[in-house]
């Protein structure tokens, strides 16, 4: 564009244009008559007079809207009285790829509405209820506090865990054959994931899910239906990786542990070694001065099974597990599947109240009226008391392992709860993108935790404690129950922290403030995803380690030419291979005095370097091979036993007898 045209457009002289443009930070050559069109546009925008704004003039009020818990994109556009394309564009800009018929949740809709200039009412209409990992524990605690007289002793719920091939299944089979409740009804006709046994007139519930996929799901979602864990450790194999995993799980969930030392009949069984290794991992047995009960058994030969069951009942007596059979019905889904002729069915362990045929229930995305209750033998039941497992039919959809089951007054409310759970699940898939990041300079990750109930909060804190390490510090600056508010956002802003919301919502004012302050609010409903993202954020702050890969070593036999910054030498490959265009370390043999000093620990260093292992040599410098030959022919590598000639770029004056070590260094990210 001509400067004359631009000056005319701005209604100023060319000289004044040059002066003002330079003052605004734009560079125009003193001799230039033309400038780039893009630059001209930027100058015009900068120099055009701004319209005067009256500070006392009333600001136009933003239109207020009330939003439901979930809303279709089409209906959302209608509510805002905007073209649906505008709403979809705003969703895409916020990373939400939703179609016209898909639903978004209240928080997402709030952000979009505020972006489009609307004010959102603080309360949502038709609020969606969620039930997190701490909900069940909170409800059971309320029952015991509000109705202490109604609480009655219930059977303990026991899980048998341990490493592969340590005898979990054999032990369960031995217990089942000896003590299954109602043996007159015949052998087990169906697998429902749990069953009950009777010993000395008392009942024990066993979770029959060692290594089962559903059990992994339950752990991932934080569900803890287990009162007690029997840890099976083979006396001929001692502590193995899965043994350690079970020990950590027991510590994390504060679940009492009973150790069953199995396979004591084996020739190579070493009970003492097993006990010692357990002690090394924090499991101190009673006969070693600790509090953990241990029973020596042989599941295959039915040795020690009765004593093991006695110890389970003794532990249950000490813990005194109770429930209110007349209280609110609460339970946990163990597994679910579609059964022929029955539709969606789920195995549930009732933990409070008494579940009856005809009750209206909801669990996750499934709801319905209980059509039938069956035990592990396929026997029809009229009701299920606390700690008893049952196969329930009548669900509209398959619940997931770990879902909380509860009874509801009417079918419409149950349907609404299940529908909301389904919508929430879908909406979070659309919108969740982790933006968790810490302060890489100070190596800290500052978190503000908000959860639905105290039980959820405690579970998250215990999980985060397991991520403790020497390099990155996780700071929980604030924690609380209820929705995320403006104070949480302000604290996150001042501390460069992240707000973690577990099974709880964020109020619209906090959403708006977070957008202004650029504060990340991370919402989760699965504890595994929360831990995975925090773990990733911690790992991302670790300082990478330099990893050295040695290809081979060779001895210098002759020096052909020495220049200022390079040398031509000949030698022989002693180990591995020497590679062209790779760095080399140059090692020289220690003198007798140096070797004597090392022997007497008068100098720093190790006789054997941990990575190179070149004994009685010291590294004197490094270089890079620019040319490599074998039998006077250029090559990329020379293998062991062959002679070589090389041109090496280095400042070291090499000598005959020096060693050259061909290697490569790469940055490796640390892991937890």
């Amino acid at each position: 564009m001509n400067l004359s045209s631009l000056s005319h457009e701005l209604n100023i002289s060319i000289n004044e244009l040059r002066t003002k443009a330079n003052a605004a930070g734009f560079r125009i050559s003193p001799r230039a008559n033309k400038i780039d069109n893009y630059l001209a546009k930027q100058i015009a925008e900068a120099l055009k007079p701004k319209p005067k704004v009256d500070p006392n003039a009333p600001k136009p009020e933003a239109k207020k809207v009330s939003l439901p818990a979930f809303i279709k994109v089409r209906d959302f556009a209608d509510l805002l009285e905007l073209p649906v394309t505008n709403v979809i564009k705003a969703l895409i800009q916020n990373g939400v790829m939703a179609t016209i018929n898909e639903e978004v949740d209240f928080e997402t809709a709030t952000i979009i509405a505020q972006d489009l200039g609307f004010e959102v009412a603080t309360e949502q209409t038709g609020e969606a209820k969620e039930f997190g990992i701490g909900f069940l524990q909170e409800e059971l605690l309320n029952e015991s506090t509000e109705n202490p007289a109604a609480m009655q002793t219930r059977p303990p719920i026991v899980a048998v865990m341990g490493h592969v091939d340590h005898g979990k299944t054999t032990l369960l089979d031995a217990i089942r054959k000896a003590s299954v409740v109602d043996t007159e009804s015949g052998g087990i006709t169906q697998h429902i994931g749990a069953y009950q046994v009777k010993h000395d007139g008392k009942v024990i519930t066993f979770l029959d899910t060692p290594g089962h996929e559903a059990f992994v799901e339950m752990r991932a979602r934080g569900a803890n239906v287990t009162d007690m864990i029997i840890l099976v450790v083979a006396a001929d194999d001692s502590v193995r990786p899965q043994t350690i995993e079970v020990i950590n799980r027991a510590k994390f969930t504060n679940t009492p542990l009973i150790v069953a030392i199995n396979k004591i009949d084996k020739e190579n069984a070493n009970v003492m070694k097993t006990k010692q290794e357990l002690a090394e991992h924090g499991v101190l047995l009673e006969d070693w001065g600790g509090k953990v009960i241990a029973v020596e058994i042989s599941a295959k030969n039915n040795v020690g099974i009765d004593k093991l069951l006695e110890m389970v009942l003794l532990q249950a007596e000490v813990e005194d597990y109770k429930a209110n059979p007349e209280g609110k019905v609460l339970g946990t889904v163990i597994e679910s599947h579609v059964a022929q002729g029955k539709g969606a069915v789920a195995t549930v362990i009732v933990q409070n109240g008494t579940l009856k045929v005809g009750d209206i229930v909801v669990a996750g995305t499934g709801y319905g009226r209980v059509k039938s209750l069956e035990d592990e033998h396929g026997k029809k039941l009229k009701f299920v008391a606390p700690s008893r497992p049952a196969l329930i039919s009548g669900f509209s959809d398959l619940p997931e392992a770990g879902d909380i089951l509860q009874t509801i007054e009417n079918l419409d409310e149950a349907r609404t709860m299940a529908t909301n759970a389904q919508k929430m699940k879908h909406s979070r898939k659309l919108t969740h993108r982790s933006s968790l990041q810490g302060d890489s300079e100070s190596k800290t990750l500052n978190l503000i935790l908000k959860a639905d109930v105290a039980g959820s909060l405690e579970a998250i804190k215990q999980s985060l404690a397991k991520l403790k390490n020497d390099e990155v510090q996780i700071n929980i600056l604030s924690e609380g129950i209820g929705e995320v508010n403006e104070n949480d956002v302000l604290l996150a802003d001042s501390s460069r922290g992240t707000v973690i919301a577990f099974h709880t919502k964020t109020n619209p004012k906090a959403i708006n403030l977070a957008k202004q302050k650029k504060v990340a609010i991370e919402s989760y409903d699965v504890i595994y995803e929360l831990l995975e993202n925090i773990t990733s954020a911690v790992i991302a702050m670790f300082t990478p380690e330099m990893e050295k890969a040695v290809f081979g070593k060779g001895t210098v036999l002759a020096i052909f030419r020495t220049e200022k910054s390079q040398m031509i030498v000949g030698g022989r490959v002693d180990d591995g291979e020497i590679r062209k265009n790779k760095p080399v370390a140059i090692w020289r043999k220690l003198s007798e005095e140096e070797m004597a000093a090392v022997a007497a620990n008068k100098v720093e260093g190790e006789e054997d370097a941990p990575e190179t292992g070149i004994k009685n040599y010291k590294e004197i410098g490094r270089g890079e091979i620019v040319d490599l030959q074998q039998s006077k022919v250029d090559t990329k590598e020379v293998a062991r036993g062959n002679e070589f000639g090389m041109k090496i770029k280095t400042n070291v004056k090499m000598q005959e007898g020096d060693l050259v070590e061909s290697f490569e260094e790469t940055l490796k990210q640390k892991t937890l």
Side-chain angles (χ1 to χ4, degrees):
M1 176 183 273
N2 289 326
L3 286 182
S4 57
S5 301
L6 182 57
S7 65
H8 181 72
E9 182 183 326
L10 296 172
N11 198 26
I12 56 177
S13 68
I14 292 179
N15 287 335
E16 191 179 355
L17 170 61
R18 290 182 190 277
T19 304
K20 287 187 175 181
N22 288 330
F26 300 101
R27 176 67 180 156
I28 300 177
S29 172
R31 296 182 179 180
N33 293 319
K34 287 185 178 183
I35 58 173
D36 178 76
N37 287 341
Y38 179 71
L39 179 60
K41 186 178 178 183
Q42 287 185 308
I43 293 172
E45 288 177 357
L47 301 186
K48 275 181 182 175
K50 303 292 187 292
K52 291 182 179 180
V53 178
D54 183 1
N56 300 317
K59 294 181 180 179
E61 285 191 16
K63 184 180 177 182
K64 291 185 180 180
V65 291
S66 294
L67 297 171
F70 301 96
I71 188 169
K72 281 188 177 181
V73 173
R74 183 202 304 113
D75 298 335
F76 187 28
D78 290 343
L79 181 66
L80 301 179
E81 297 179 355
L82 292 173
V84 73
T85 50
N86 290 17
V87 175
I88 291 176
K89 184 180 177 182
L91 283 163
I92 292 171
Q93 287 171 347
N94 280 274
V96 182
M97 307 303 290
T99 64
I100 190 170
N101 291 315
E102 284 186 304
E103 290 184 308
V104 292
D105 62 9
F106 174 77
E107 290 181 14
T108 304
T110 298
I111 292 170
I112 302 305
Q114 289 173 344
D115 280 357
L116 294 171
F118 291 83
E119 185 181 332
V120 180
T122 307
E123 295 300 318
Q124 57 181 288
T125 59
E127 183 177 346
K129 292 181 181 179
E130 293 184 86
F131 304 99
I133 56 175
F135 170 77
L136 184 64
Q137 285 76 8
E138 202 93 339
E139 288 291 308
L140 293 174
L141 184 63
N142 290 340
E143 280 280 355
S144 61
T145 306
E146 294 171 9
N147 306 300
M151 303 299 284
Q152 297 181 19
T153 301
R154 63 171 177 81
I157 302 167
V158 182
V160 178
M161 299 181 179
H163 194 71
V164 178
D165 295 332
H166 277 207
K168 300 185 299 292
T169 305
T170 309
L171 174 59
L172 283 165
D173 288 343
I175 291 169
R176 202 157 27 197
K177 286 172 186 173
S179 318
V180 171
V181 173
D182 299 329
T183 50
E184 68 274 7
S185 64
I188 293 177
T189 56
Q190 60 182 341
H191 176 78
I192 69 167
Y195 61 89
Q196 290 190 318
V197 304
K198 189 177 283 184
H199 185 77
D200 289 343
K202 295 179 180 178
V203 176
I204 305 170
T205 300
F206 278 93
L207 287 177
D208 189 11
T209 51
H212 196 279
E213 280 183 22
F215 216 54
V216 176
E217 258 187 80
M218 288 177 67
R219 288 205 299 272
R221 301 186 68 201
N224 188 34
V225 69
T226 312
D227 294 322
M228 203 181 304
I229 293 172
I230 293 178
L231 172 59
V232 182
V233 188
D236 63 338
D237 199 25
S238 298
V239 173
R240 304 295 293 160
Q242 278 179 273
T243 316
I244 298 167
E245 185 187 328
V246 176
I247 292 169
N248 290 336
R249 170 173 165 73
K251 288 177 182 176
F252 164 58
T253 55
N254 294 320
T255 306
L257 203 64
I258 293 178
V259 177
I261 302 176
N262 193 22
K263 302 187 181 183
I264 57 170
D265 54 311
K266 288 283 191 80
E267 285 184 14
N268 57 339
N270 191 336
V271 175
M272 287 300 292
K273 181 187 175 186
T274 302
K275 290 181 178 181
Q276 182 181 340
E277 289 190 7
L278 285 167
E280 288 171 1
H281 288 89
V283 180
L284 206 59
L285 306 180
E286 282 184 331
D287 53 350
W288 281 46
K291 296 181 180 179
V292 179
I293 298 169
V295 182
E296 296 175 21
I297 66 167
S298 171
K300 186 177 180 181
N301 298 319
N302 203 25
V303 174
I305 305 300
D306 286 344
K307 186 179 178 183
L308 179 63
L309 295 176
E310 284 171 18
M311 292 299 104
V312 169
L313 291 172
L314 179 64
Q315 183 75 41
E317 195 175 317
V318 171
E319 297 292 335
D320 194 21
Y321 301 114
K322 289 188 175 182
N324 180 7
E326 304 301 322
K328 182 178 180 179
V329 177
L330 296 163
T332 303
V333 175
I334 303 300
E335 57 187 10
S336 61
H337 64 279
V338 177
Q340 191 173 359
K342 295 179 182 177
V345 297
T347 301
V348 173
I349 288 188
V350 174
Q351 288 160 279
N352 195 73
T354 301
L355 182 65
K356 306 179 186 70
V357 174
D359 282 349
I360 297 167
V361 294
V362 62
T365 60
Y367 75 97
R369 195 181 294 275
V370 177
K371 291 180 181 177
S372 66
L373 296 169
E374 298 176 24
D375 67 7
E376 61 267 29
H377 309 292
K379 180 182 175 183
K380 299 285 185 183
L381 304 171
K382 291 183 179 179
F383 63 89
V384 179
S387 288
R388 185 159 193 181
L391 186 73
I392 303 174
S393 67
F395 285 104
S396 61
D397 189 21
L398 281 177
E400 293 182 13
D403 278 338
I404 307 300
L405 176 133
Q406 53 186 320
T407 52
I408 303 298
E409 289 295 323
N410 61 74
L411 210 55
D412 287 339
E413 187 182 348
R415 183 187 296 111
T416 301
M417 289 172 67
T419 303
N420 282 344
Q422 181 66 51
K423 288 176 179 178
M424 188 67 72
K425 188 176 175 182
H426 178 69
S427 181
R428 287 213 165 119
K429 279 183 182 177
L430 282 175
T431 60
H432 188 71
R433 294 183 305 160
S434 178
S435 54
L436 254 173
Q437 54 185 6
D439 187 343
S440 298
E441 291 180 12
S442 62
K443 302 285 186 183
T444 55
L445 182 63
N446 295 327
L447 302 176
I448 291 88
L449 300 182
K450 297 301 285 280
D452 53 346
V453 291
S456 298
L457 198 61
E458 194 58 36
I460 293 166
K461 285 166 61 183
Q462 288 174 352
S463 299
L464 294 180
K466 293 169 69 177
L467 300 180
K468 187 178 179 181
N469 62 86
D470 295 331
E471 188 171 352
V472 177
Q473 188 175 2
I474 301 175
N475 295 326
I476 299 175
L477 303 178
S478 171
E479 58 186 73
I481 309 302
E483 68 179 17
V484 177
N485 55 43
E486 297 98 309
N487 290 335
D488 300 320
V489 174
L490 290 171
L491 177 58
D493 178 50
S494 62
S495 63
R496 297 175 69 181
T498 302
V499 181
I500 302 292
F502 187 83
H503 266 288
T504 189
K505 63 182 182 178
T506 304
N507 72 42
K509 289 181 180 177
I511 292 172
N512 193 28
L513 185 61
K515 231 176 145 41
Q516 291 174 17
K517 301 285 187 182
K518 295 183 180 177
V519 168
I521 300 176
E522 294 275 307
S523 296
Y524 298 92
D525 61 349
V526 177
I527 194 169
Y528 174 75
E529 291 176 357
L530 185 156
L531 293 177
E532 192 178 57
N533 287 342
I534 291 179
T535 302
S536 298
V538 170
I539 289 172
M541 283 189 284
F542 281 152
T543 304
E545 294 175 322
M546 189 66 77
E547 192 173 62
K548 184 179 180 181
V550 177
F551 304 126
K553 304 179 188 74
T555 302
V556 177
L557 301 177
I559 307 296
F560 298 122
R561 185 185 296 173
T562 301
E563 297 177 3
K564 186 177 180 181
S565 60
Q566 64 182 25
M567 297 185 72
I568 298 175
V569 302
R572 181 185 60 251
V573 180
D574 303 320
D575 186 31
E577 61 187 26
I578 302 293
R579 297 185 184 181
K580 183 183 176 182
N581 296 329
K582 295 294 181 185
V584 289
I586 302 161
W587 294 74
R588 182 162 295 162
K589 194 164 187 175
L590 296 172
S591 65
E592 290 182 5
E593 292 81 5
E594 287 173 324
M595 281 194 277
V598 170
N601 292 321
K602 289 181 180 177
V603 298
E604 293 184 1
E606 298 178 353
E607 194 174 44
D608 291 285
E611 289 189 5
T612 61
I614 303 179
K615 190 175 181 179
N616 295 334
Y617 279 78
K618 63 179 179 182
E619 185 179 325
I620 59 171
R622 294 193 172 185
E624 184 180 349
I625 301 171
V626 291
D627 281 321
L628 184 64
Q629 292 185 351
Q630 181 180 340
S631 302
K632 297 185 179 181
V633 177
D634 288 343
T635 182
K636 291 183 178 179
E637 56 192 44
V638 180
R640 179 180 177 179
N642 295 306
E643 293 189 349
F644 61 81
M646 68 165 69
K647 182 188 284 186
I648 180 169
K649 189 177 179 181
T650 180
N651 293 320
V652 175
K653 300 305 176 188
M654 297 170 67
Q655 300 174 4
E656 291 180 11
D658 286 348
L659 298 183
V660 287
E661 178 186 56
S662 178
F663 69 93
E664 186 175 57
E665 286 183 327
T666 54
L667 282 175
K668 184 184 177 185
Q669 184 65 52
K670 292 183 192 173
T671 57
L672 276 170

